[in-house]
Amino acid sequence: MLAAAWRVLLLLSPPTLSTDVYRYVWDGRIQRLGYDPYLVVPSNSDVRHLHTAETLLMNHPDFPTPYPAVAELFFRAVALVDDSARAMKSAAFLCDAALVAILLWWLSASHRSRWWVLTYAWNPLVALEGAGNGHVDLLGALALVLTAALLTRGRRTASAVGFALAIGVKFLPLPLAPLFWGRIRLRDAALGVGILAALYIPFLGHGQLPLGSLGGYLVRWRVNAPVYTALEWVFPTKGLVGVPVALGFAVALWTRWHLAVDSPEAWAWPVATTLLFAPTVFPWYLVWVTPFLFTPRALPLAVWTVSSLAVYWPLPVWATMVVEYGPVLGVTGWMWAQSARARRATISTV
């Protein structure tokens, strides 16, 4: 009830920390009017008549959309009801509520305390980026936690489809693919790939891949990414964009063979590793790991989801890095010291 109360207050307020929701409104609106968001550049004068007062507020109007097909179809579905920021935020709010329900089901089915749901419901990042800013990452997190819960229950086909839908919102969970090795059938994987490919069909037919400005985004944008920036300074090559995915994939391989399928860390750490080394780390990207923080070993990630909000503070870049990543390193060091002390105590007892 408390979580719902402050979300409603945010829902009724205009977005103040990000203008991405206005891009969502634009993408949904022009699809409804028969245009392809992967081709149309919002700032072009010949589409000026398609704008509303809200869509003129979007950021980076000189680029077509970078979002994958599932996100685009989601925007279109919302726009069919109402092409407004309030409608997009309401849709994110509903995804948020559905995610809470699925988490409760997963916690109950895995014989964990259902009170762990508060690690998600009371996380300020989720409320701000969902009901507050209407980010589509809530839809992706919903698909991903549903994927994990279904795989835990042995529903392989549905889990593969859920994973395909999560990738179709944003490509961020791609490194989690090793978690499905040996746990789903080949036909399940083929079905998931086929459904994702089919969702791109409405955007084909123009002689180019429907990726929009995604490539330019990966090459140009550098925000809140100290690790990637340092690597790029030492190794100035475009090939670095593959490093975060490769490292996330490697962590997923380790978790596949060392952690149980219902372990939330198995899902959280590969995504978090990818983000840690990514060229751009906006706070709302961390929404993807927030459903999996119901374990003490995920404490550093829980701290990061809160400290990442420092990006919104009017601080110098160096101070933002200290405020955001300092607590994460501190908690990680404390946990490592506690673990080392416990190991030494065990050895001395033996």
Side-chain angles (χ1 to χ4, degrees), residues 317-330:
V317 174
W318 68 267
T320 300
M321 296 299 100
V322 171
V323 174
E324 178 175 359
Y325 294 100
V328 179
L329 293 174

PDB file of all heavy atoms in Angstrom, residues 317-330:
ATOM      1  N   VAL A 317      31.363  15.677 -12.302  1.00  0.00           N
ATOM      2  CA  VAL A 317      31.412  14.279 -12.731  1.00  0.00           C
ATOM      3  C   VAL A 317      32.172  13.424 -11.725  1.00  0.00           C
ATOM      4  O   VAL A 317      31.736  12.323 -11.366  1.00  0.00           O
ATOM      5  CB  VAL A 317      32.055  14.177 -14.125  1.00  0.00           C
ATOM      6  CG1 VAL A 317      32.254  12.712 -14.507  1.00  0.00           C
ATOM      7  CG2 VAL A 317      31.186  14.870 -15.165  1.00  0.00           C
ATOM      8  N   TRP A 318      33.316  13.922 -11.245  1.00  0.00           N
ATOM      9  CA  TRP A 318      34.114  13.114 -10.314  1.00  0.00           C
ATOM     10  C   TRP A 318      33.347  12.842  -9.019  1.00  0.00           C
ATOM     11  O   TRP A 318      33.421  11.742  -8.464  1.00  0.00           O
ATOM     12  CB  TRP A 318      35.445  13.790 -10.020  1.00  0.00           C
ATOM     13  CG  TRP A 318      35.329  15.069  -9.236  1.00  0.00           C
ATOM     14  CD1 TRP A 318      35.239  16.341  -9.722  1.00  0.00           C
ATOM     15  CD2 TRP A 318      35.279  15.196  -7.805  1.00  0.00           C
ATOM     16  NE1 TRP A 318      35.129  17.256  -8.709  1.00  0.00           N
ATOM     17  CE2 TRP A 318      35.161  16.582  -7.518  1.00  0.00           C
ATOM     18  CE3 TRP A 318      35.306  14.293  -6.751  1.00  0.00           C
ATOM     19  CZ2 TRP A 318      35.074  17.077  -6.213  1.00  0.00           C
ATOM     20  CZ3 TRP A 318      35.230  14.783  -5.453  1.00  0.00           C
ATOM     21  CH2 TRP A 318      35.118  16.152  -5.196  1.00  0.00           C
ATOM     22  N   ALA A 319      32.599  13.859  -8.552  1.00  0.00           N
ATOM     23  CA  ALA A 319      31.828  13.683  -7.321  1.00  0.00           C
ATOM     24  C   ALA A 319      30.691  12.689  -7.530  1.00  0.00           C
ATOM     25  O   ALA A 319      30.382  11.879  -6.637  1.00  0.00           O
ATOM     26  CB  ALA A 319      31.280  15.036  -6.857  1.00  0.00           C
ATOM     27  N   THR A 320      30.073  12.730  -8.700  1.00  0.00           N
ATOM     28  CA  THR A 320      29.008  11.767  -9.013  1.00  0.00           C
ATOM     29  C   THR A 320      29.547  10.347  -8.980  1.00  0.00           C
ATOM     30  O   THR A 320      28.900   9.429  -8.449  1.00  0.00           O
ATOM     31  CB  THR A 320      28.409  12.065 -10.401  1.00  0.00           C
ATOM     32  OG1 THR A 320      27.874  13.388 -10.408  1.00  0.00           O
ATOM     33  CG2 THR A 320      27.308  11.069 -10.735  1.00  0.00           C
ATOM     34  N   MET A 321      30.742  10.151  -9.548  1.00  0.00           N
ATOM     35  CA  MET A 321      31.342   8.818  -9.550  1.00  0.00           C
ATOM     36  C   MET A 321      31.615   8.336  -8.121  1.00  0.00           C
ATOM     37  O   MET A 321      31.392   7.162  -7.791  1.00  0.00           O
ATOM     38  CB  MET A 321      32.654   8.835 -10.352  1.00  0.00           C
ATOM     39  CG  MET A 321      32.507   9.151 -11.830  1.00  0.00           C
ATOM     40  SD  MET A 321      31.486   7.976 -12.744  1.00  0.00           S
ATOM     41  CE  MET A 321      29.936   8.876 -12.825  1.00  0.00           C
ATOM     42  N   VAL A 322      32.078   9.242  -7.271  1.00  0.00           N
ATOM     43  CA  VAL A 322      32.370   8.874  -5.879  1.00  0.00           C
ATOM     44  C   VAL A 322      31.088   8.496  -5.144  1.00  0.00           C
ATOM     45  O   VAL A 322      31.022   7.476  -4.450  1.00  0.00           O
ATOM     46  CB  VAL A 322      33.087  10.028  -5.152  1.00  0.00           C
ATOM     47  CG1 VAL A 322      33.187   9.730  -3.654  1.00  0.00           C
ATOM     48  CG2 VAL A 322      34.476  10.233  -5.734  1.00  0.00           C
ATOM     49  N   VAL A 323      30.049   9.328  -5.310  1.00  0.00           N
ATOM     50  CA  VAL A 323      28.787   9.082  -4.612  1.00  0.00           C
ATOM     51  C   VAL A 323      28.118   7.810  -5.114  1.00  0.00           C
ATOM     52  O   VAL A 323      27.518   7.053  -4.336  1.00  0.00           O
ATOM     53  CB  VAL A 323      27.841  10.289  -4.777  1.00  0.00           C
ATOM     54  CG1 VAL A 323      26.472   9.978  -4.191  1.00  0.00           C
ATOM     55  CG2 VAL A 323      28.430  11.518  -4.106  1.00  0.00           C
ATOM     56  N   GLU A 324      28.208   7.552  -6.431  1.00  0.00           N
ATOM     57  CA  GLU A 324      27.532   6.385  -6.988  1.00  0.00           C
ATOM     58  C   GLU A 324      28.282   5.089  -6.712  1.00  0.00           C
ATOM     59  O   GLU A 324      27.693   4.109  -6.235  1.00  0.00           O
ATOM     60  CB  GLU A 324      27.341   6.549  -8.493  1.00  0.00           C
ATOM     61  CG  GLU A 324      26.671   5.330  -9.135  1.00  0.00           C
ATOM     62  CD  GLU A 324      26.362   5.508 -10.607  1.00  0.00           C
ATOM     63  OE1 GLU A 324      26.645   6.601 -11.149  1.00  0.00           O
ATOM     64  OE2 GLU A 324      25.834   4.546 -11.218  1.00  0.00           O
ATOM     65  N   TYR A 325      29.572   5.072  -7.039  1.00  0.00           N
ATOM     66  CA  TYR A 325      30.315   3.811  -6.988  1.00  0.00           C
ATOM     67  C   TYR A 325      31.043   3.586  -5.661  1.00  0.00           C
ATOM     68  O   TYR A 325      31.377   2.436  -5.340  1.00  0.00           O
ATOM     69  CB  TYR A 325      31.309   3.747  -8.153  1.00  0.00           C
ATOM     70  CG  TYR A 325      30.620   3.674  -9.490  1.00  0.00           C
ATOM     71  CD1 TYR A 325      30.482   4.810 -10.283  1.00  0.00           C
ATOM     72  CD2 TYR A 325      30.080   2.484  -9.944  1.00  0.00           C
ATOM     73  CE1 TYR A 325      29.839   4.752 -11.515  1.00  0.00           C
ATOM     74  CE2 TYR A 325      29.432   2.405 -11.171  1.00  0.00           C
ATOM     75  CZ  TYR A 325      29.313   3.552 -11.945  1.00  0.00           C
ATOM     76  OH  TYR A 325      28.658   3.483 -13.162  1.00  0.00           O
ATOM     77  N   GLY A 326      31.278   4.651  -4.881  1.00  0.00           N
ATOM     78  CA  GLY A 326      31.952   4.494  -3.596  1.00  0.00           C
ATOM     79  C   GLY A 326      31.201   3.562  -2.655  1.00  0.00           C
ATOM     80  O   GLY A 326      31.789   2.612  -2.112  1.00  0.00           O
ATOM     81  N   PRO A 327      29.901   3.774  -2.420  1.00  0.00           N
ATOM     82  CA  PRO A 327      29.164   2.868  -1.532  1.00  0.00           C
ATOM     83  C   PRO A 327      29.136   1.421  -2.025  1.00  0.00           C
ATOM     84  O   PRO A 327      29.170   0.489  -1.217  1.00  0.00           O
ATOM     85  CB  PRO A 327      27.752   3.467  -1.522  1.00  0.00           C
ATOM     86  CG  PRO A 327      27.943   4.905  -1.872  1.00  0.00           C
ATOM     87  CD  PRO A 327      29.085   4.930  -2.832  1.00  0.00           C
ATOM     88  N   VAL A 328      29.090   1.243  -3.333  1.00  0.00           N
ATOM     89  CA  VAL A 328      29.076  -0.118  -3.883  1.00  0.00           C
ATOM     90  C   VAL A 328      30.388  -0.823  -3.564  1.00  0.00           C
ATOM     91  O   VAL A 328      30.406  -1.980  -3.118  1.00  0.00           O
ATOM     92  CB  VAL A 328      28.847  -0.082  -5.408  1.00  0.00           C
ATOM     93  CG1 VAL A 328      28.850  -1.504  -5.982  1.00  0.00           C
ATOM     94  CG2 VAL A 328      27.535   0.616  -5.739  1.00  0.00           C
ATOM     95  N   LEU A 329      31.510  -0.114  -3.789  1.00  0.00           N
ATOM     96  CA  LEU A 329      32.816  -0.700  -3.474  1.00  0.00           C
ATOM     97  C   LEU A 329      32.958  -0.938  -1.976  1.00  0.00           C
ATOM     98  O   LEU A 329      33.517  -1.956  -1.552  1.00  0.00           O
ATOM     99  CB  LEU A 329      33.926   0.225  -3.965  1.00  0.00           C
ATOM    100  CG  LEU A 329      34.051   0.374  -5.490  1.00  0.00           C
ATOM    101  CD1 LEU A 329      35.089   1.436  -5.837  1.00  0.00           C
ATOM    102  CD2 LEU A 329      34.421  -0.952  -6.125  1.00  0.00           C
ATOM    103  N   GLY A 330      32.442   0.001  -1.170  1.00  0.00           N
ATOM    104  CA  GLY A 330      32.529  -0.167   0.276  1.00  0.00           C
ATOM    105  C   GLY A 330      31.774  -1.385   0.770  1.00  0.00           C
ATOM    106  O   GLY A 330      32.294  -2.164   1.574  1.00  0.00           O
TER     107      GLY A 330
END
